[in-house]
């Protein structure tokens, strides 16, 4: 009889643990780097997405980011190079965030350090839109970027750079980047 109660108690504790910790497992970060070469959709269910180094959207490829997605950049040198199409169309109620890995205000405490770190300008590099590419941002928050390697004139002190591509930015906020929010070498904005 004592063994049956002990086994029942163990099962109850196990089920309680599953119910308690399952939601946190479902919100684990999706790590990504390298090149996206097929049309891809990032969903809120798999958010936050953590760019772990550099990520490139190749030409003739579309990355669609759904409303409510949080994109975090892990390292100070992390960046997103757009040679294809970046569609980041949020809504007023479900904005899309491009932010620091240290930003716990959206997407949770991704770096799992409690409150020992805080996001700052220069926590990541930038998003660059290259010739022939396009980026559409609607209801997007872009912050804490603009890290640089030598000086600001190598185009690194900006959160987003339109380098001869097409940039459409509406209903969005670019803030808390190192020196500048958006820089355009050429192209259309």
């Amino acid at each position: 009889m004592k063994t049956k109660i002990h086994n029942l108690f163990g099962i109850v504790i196990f089920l309680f643990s599953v119910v308690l910790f399952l939601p946190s497992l479902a919100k684990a970060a999706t790590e990504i780097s390298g090149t996206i070469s097929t049309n891809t959709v990032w969903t809120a269910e798999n958010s936050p997405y953590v760019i772990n180094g550099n990520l490139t959207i190749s030409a003739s490829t579309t990355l669609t980011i759904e409303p409510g997605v949080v994109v975090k950049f892990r390292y100070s040198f992390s960046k997103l190079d757009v040679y294809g199409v970046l569609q980041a169309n949020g809504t007023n109620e479900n904005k899309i965030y491009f932010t620091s890995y240290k930003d716990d205000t959206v997407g949770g405490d991704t770096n799992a350090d409690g409150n020992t770190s805080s996001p700052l300008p220069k926590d990541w590099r930038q998003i660059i839109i290259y010739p022939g590419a396009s980026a559409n941002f609607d209801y997007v928050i872009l912050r804490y970027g603009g890290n640089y390697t030598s000086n600001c004139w190598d185009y690194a002190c900006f959160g987003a750079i339109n380098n001869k591509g097409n940039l459409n930015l509406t209903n969005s906020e670019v803030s808390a980047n190192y020196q500048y929010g958006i820089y355009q070498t050429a192209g259309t904005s």
Side-chain angles (χ1 to χ4, degrees), residues 1 11-12 65 70 79 111 115 129 134 144 147 161 184:
M1 179 72 171
I11 292 170
V12 169
I65 301 177
V70 175
K79 65 178 181 160
N111 63 353
N115 60 359
I129 301 101
S134 65
Y144 304 119
N147 196 12
I161 300 167
Q184 179 162 318

Side-chain angles (χ1 to χ4, degrees), residues 32 70 110 118 137 143 169:
I32 188 158
V70 175
T110 312
S118 297
F137 297 105
R143 58 189 181 197
L169 183 74

Side-chain angles (χ1 to χ4, degrees), residues 155-182:
Y155 307 122
C157 296
F158 311 93
I161 300 167
N162 186 8
N163 186 23
K164 302 177 184 172
N166 296 307
L167 172 63
N168 184 23
L169 183 74
T170 55
N171 303 307
S172 297
E173 175 186 318
V174 179
S175 64
N177 292 290
Y178 179 52
Q179 285 193 349
Y180 308 100
I182 297 175

Side-chain angles (χ1 to χ4, degrees), residues 22-91:
L22 192 58
S24 64
L25 293 174
K27 289 303 284 179
T30 302
E31 300 268 341
I32 188 158
S33 63
T35 301
I36 297 174
S37 55
T38 59
N39 293 342
T40 303
V41 177
W42 287 0
T43 63
E45 292 77 27
N46 293 319
S47 181
Y49 290 82
V50 175
I51 296 178
N52 189 2
N54 295 336
L55 180 64
T56 300
I57 302 169
S58 64
S60 302
T61 301
T62 300
L63 171 61
T64 302
I65 301 177
E66 291 184 343
V69 168
V70 175
V71 180
K72 294 186 177 185
F73 294 81
R74 181 183 290 269
Y75 302 112
S76 60
F77 60 82
S78 294
K79 65 178 181 160
L80 176 57
D81 293 324
V82 181
Y83 290 93
V85 177
L86 173 59
Q87 291 285 358
N89 296 314
T91 65

Side-chain angles (χ1 to χ4, degrees), residues 142-155:
L142 189 149
R143 58 189 181 197
Y144 304 119
N147 196 12
Y148 64 95
T149 54
S150 58
N151 63 55
C152 284
W153 302 114
D154 66 358
Y155 307 122

